[in-house]
Amino acid sequence: MIDLHCHIIPWIDDGADSAAVACKMAEHALRSGVDTIVCTPHCNISDDIPNYRGRDYDVCFGMFRALLQQHGIPLRVLPGCELFASRSNLRRLLDENRIATLNHSRYLLTEFNFNDSGERMTAALDLIAQHGRIPVVAHPERYDCVQRDPKLAVSWFAKGYIIQLNKGSLLGLLGQRAYYAGTHLLASGIAHAVASDAHDDRYRTTGLQSLLPVLERYCSPDYVQLLLETNPKRIIQDRHIPAPESE
Ligand SMILES: [Fe+2]
């Protein structure tokens, strides 16, 4: 399996808070059948956590990769970020090409303030698309506007934006509203990928194995494969993703 969304790089955001925790997260991922993680630290979430493309990010990523090698942990890690798109500087960041996409592809993992309006989210996603990126909407099931009106996520899906659900939402660990919205989107067939959004090795972990019983309740075996492997692979290889129901 390939995990597209994971806060595993230590020292860089509110994810792994030490090298030891990052190594545990990597080992946990491998044990659960994940062989590749795209490292997606928060980017632009505040002036304290910028994590824009550039030397600082490359150094942190390189140190993390070296750490895994030192410990003999055979997990493949790829660069990326989770862009916080609810700030007014979005256009400037896009114009200046300062945001890391998922493994240098066109796909850009994008998150919002949970209480942002649907109109503002749609405008930001459209702006990202106008800049030649394909938005991957991080955990739409956690946003208030989607919980109130899931058709909003359907409208993003219809524009070709990628819908990524969180493991924690589908396991009911992130509240009832996220659980209901997440399983609704899953059952509607508009989800393209499910990822861990792991931040540590105790509560929001890298293991994806625990997801399988929930996914199997709502999806065919082929769709489960699409969510955890086929589509994430297309993203890291910068390939086109057809709508799930057309496959
Ligand atoms: Fe995240």
Side-chain angles (χ1 to χ4, degrees), residues 5-7 40 42 82 109 111 138-139 166 197 199 204:
H5 181 169
C6 189
H7 301 262
T40 54
H42 293 292
E82 180 180 21
L109 185 66
E111 69 169 334
H139 42 64
N166 265 17
D197 196 4
H199 279 66
R204 297 176 69 184

Side-chain angles (χ1 to χ4, degrees), residues 171-219:
L171 292 180
L173 304 175
L174 300 174
Q176 266 198 339
R177 296 182 71 207
Y179 173 76
Y180 287 128
T183 50
H184 176 76
L185 297 178
L186 195 60
S188 310
I190 67 158
H192 297 90
V194 181
S196 75
D197 196 4
H199 279 66
D200 55 55
D201 196 45
R202 299 188 68 185
Y203 304 108
R204 297 176 69 184
T205 69
T206 46
L208 291 184
Q209 199 74 33
S210 55
L211 257 178
L212 296 178
V214 186
L215 295 182
E216 284 160 4
R217 200 177 312 148
Y218 291 94
C219 315

Side-chain angles (χ1 to χ4, degrees), residues 43 48 76 92 104 112 116 139 145 177 185 189 197 199 213:
C43 162
D48 296 332
R76 180 165 70 139
R92 182 167 55 79
H104 311 292
F112 296 96
D116 214 343
H139 42 64
C145 55
R177 296 182 71 207
L185 297 178
D197 196 4
H199 279 66

